[in-house]
Amino acid sequence: MIEVYFDGASAGNPGPSGAGIFIKGNGKAEGFSIPLASMSNHEAEFHAFILALEICLKNEFKIVSFRTDSELVNRSVEKEFVKNNQYKPLLEKALTLSQQFDLFFLKWIPSSENKNADELARKAIQRAQ
């Protein structure tokens, strides 16, 4: 099983943002630090998740466990619902992508267990500024 840790971060709310994605499995580990446009922290979290899903699909990973410290993303995916209309298109895209896996898990983890993805997201912000 592939384990994917993702995090979105913003310097300001909204502000320059970044996505951090750390993938491990099959005896390998790889990190991605992707600059994003100016957006809120919650938007950055959703974008990081979508990018992580797309990377896994591109690499043809079929059984994947995603980990996030974003309660909003975790809860929204679990319930397939988000109150804020601004996040609805992002949730819909994430749900559509997640359905393409043979086995898909999303688990909330504390920030202390998501340090690799957090560091990658912060590096992406520096590159976005």
Side-chain angles (χ1 to χ4, degrees):
M1 179 179 297
I2 303 296
E3 291 181 9
V4 180
Y5 297 79
F6 66 90
D7 197 19
S10 296
N13 205 12
S17 302
I21 301 161
F22 183 74
I23 301 173
K24 66 179 185 177
N26 299 336
K28 296 188 285 185
E30 189 172 8
F32 299 86
S33 184
I34 304 166
L36 301 171
S38 179
M39 61 184 66
S40 73
N41 187 62
H42 290 314
E43 285 176 289
E45 295 280 7
F46 273 107
H47 281 282
F49 182 38
I50 290 166
L51 288 164
L53 289 162
E54 290 173 341
I55 290 167
C56 289
L57 289 168
K58 180 181 165 212
N59 285 287
E60 299 182 0
F61 299 144
K62 299 293 183 189
I63 300 173
V64 186
S65 178
F66 291 84
R67 315 287 169 90
T68 181
D69 59 16
S70 170
E71 291 182 32
L72 174 65
V73 170
N74 186 62
R75 223 176 314 117
S76 299
V77 171
E78 190 176 275
K79 294 181 179 182
E80 297 185 3
F81 175 79
V82 65
K83 286 182 185 178
N84 189 324
N85 287 332
Q86 184 178 2
Y87 307 139
K88 283 184 180 178
L90 297 170
L91 174 60
E92 288 172 15
K93 184 169 186 179
L95 291 172
T96 299
L97 291 169
S98 70
Q99 293 168 358
Q100 296 179 46
F101 293 91
D102 291 344
L103 200 51
F104 165 85
F105 299 99
L106 177 62
K107 180 182 178 183
W108 179 85
I109 58 173
S111 297
S112 61
E113 294 179 26
N114 206 24
K115 288 184 180 177
N116 287 332
D118 179 64
E119 287 176 20
L120 291 164
R122 293 183 188 285
K123 284 181 185 175
I125 290 173
Q126 292 171 352
R127 292 187 6 230
Q129 292 178 330

